[in-house]
Amino acid sequence: MLNFIDLSHALVSFTSIFTLINPLGILPIYLTLTESIERDERTIINRKGILTAGIVLIIFSLIGHYIFSFYGITIHAFKIAGGILFFRIGINMIESKIPRTKATPQEEKEAHTKNVFAYTPLGIPMIAGPGAITSAVILSGDTSNIQDKVTFILALFVALLFTYGIFQTAGRISKLLGIIGIRIMQRIMGLLLMVIAVQFIIDGTTPILKEIF
């Protein structure tokens, strides 16, 4: 098995994808977005989010170049779209209000949005963001045989497994910090997320502006 797997390629693939997913960095954001969700529901959301991100990353790693060419899409467009979505989330985090103990009928009707959250923004773009997608396309493009393809997919699976494990421990971290700690972190991370979002937009628009001017 070890002879079949290119360990150096596996290590590069794992470290690149895991670093770009950055589960430890986005954990405070994840905590603030899921603080009102029960542990069982959170586990389901985590699984769906990881599965969604895994499918997206594998698809882009296999046919990413063809998708971009066919639709005329660039990674810069992904960065701009992700930046806009992150900016909106950041504003909501900063302006968050203390939740009521009872839900209104309208809130109960919209409870299904928890399920939507698993796919976006958790699966995309928090886990499978522009950086992770770009890395998947580049690393997969560097593979020249089936062995390297399998090595890359295994490295991707391990990175997602580590990410899932980190998210599963979020409940304990939430209890440790308490409501006040979560609120403080929420606003700090909201501001930081808005800054990151602006940088995403800048990174996406700069190459386009250079081409125009």
Side-chain angles (χ1 to χ4, degrees), residues 36-97:
S36 62
I37 300 177
E38 297 294 332
R39 179 174 176 81
D40 292 341
E41 290 181 310
R42 186 182 298 171
T43 297
I44 295 174
I45 288 174
N46 291 341
R47 291 174 182 174
K48 290 181 177 180
I50 291 294
L51 180 61
T52 300
I55 292 174
V56 169
L57 292 175
I58 290 177
I59 288 177
F60 274 95
S61 68
L62 296 177
I63 60 175
H65 291 295
Y66 302 104
I67 294 177
F68 288 148
S69 299
F70 183 80
Y71 289 103
I73 299 173
T74 65
I75 192 61
H76 307 309
F78 273 95
K79 288 184 177 180
I80 294 172
I84 293 173
L85 180 59
F86 272 23
F87 193 85
R88 179 182 177 185
I89 294 174
I91 292 177
N92 291 336
M93 291 169 64
I94 290 178
E95 296 181 346
S96 65
K97 299 178 181 179

Side-chain angles (χ1 to χ4, degrees), residues 1-11 143-155:
M1 182 66 178
L2 291 177
N3 293 330
F4 179 74
I5 297 177
D6 185 344
L7 293 180
S8 61
H9 181 65
L11 182 60
T143 59
S144 57
N145 51 56
I146 297 298
Q147 175 181 338
D148 289 340
K149 288 283 187 184
V150 173
T151 299
F152 167 75
I153 292 176
L154 287 176

Side-chain angles (χ1 to χ4, degrees), residues 9 28 51 64 92-93 122 127 134 138 145 160 163 190 196 199 202 204 209 213:
H9 181 65
L51 180 61
N92 291 336
M93 291 169 64
L122 181 59
I127 300 176
T134 304
I138 294 175
N145 51 56
L160 291 174
T163 301
I196 294 174
Q199 188 61 55
I202 292 174
L209 293 177
F213 301 102

Side-chain angles (χ1 to χ4, degrees), residues 108-119:
E108 292 176 354
K109 182 178 180 180
E110 295 177 353
H112 69 279
T113 55
K114 294 180 181 179
N115 187 57
V116 176
F117 167 77
Y119 305 111

Side-chain angles (χ1 to χ4, degrees), residues 135-197:
S135 178
V137 173
I138 294 175
L139 291 171
S140 179
D142 291 337
T143 59
S144 57
N145 51 56
I146 297 298
Q147 175 181 338
D148 289 340
K149 288 283 187 184
V150 173
T151 299
F152 167 75
I153 292 176
L154 287 176
L156 172 61
F157 173 78
V158 174
L160 291 174
L161 188 62
F162 270 74
T163 301
Y164 174 76
I166 291 174
F167 285 160
Q168 281 295 96
T169 62
R172 299 177 183 176
I173 298 176
S174 178
K175 291 181 180 179
L176 179 65
L177 293 176
I179 295 178
I180 296 178
I182 289 293
R183 294 297 176 188
I184 294 174
M185 183 179 296
Q186 179 174 355
R187 285 163 175 78
I188 294 175
M189 293 307 302
L191 179 60
L192 179 60
L193 183 59
M194 291 174 67
V195 174
I196 294 174

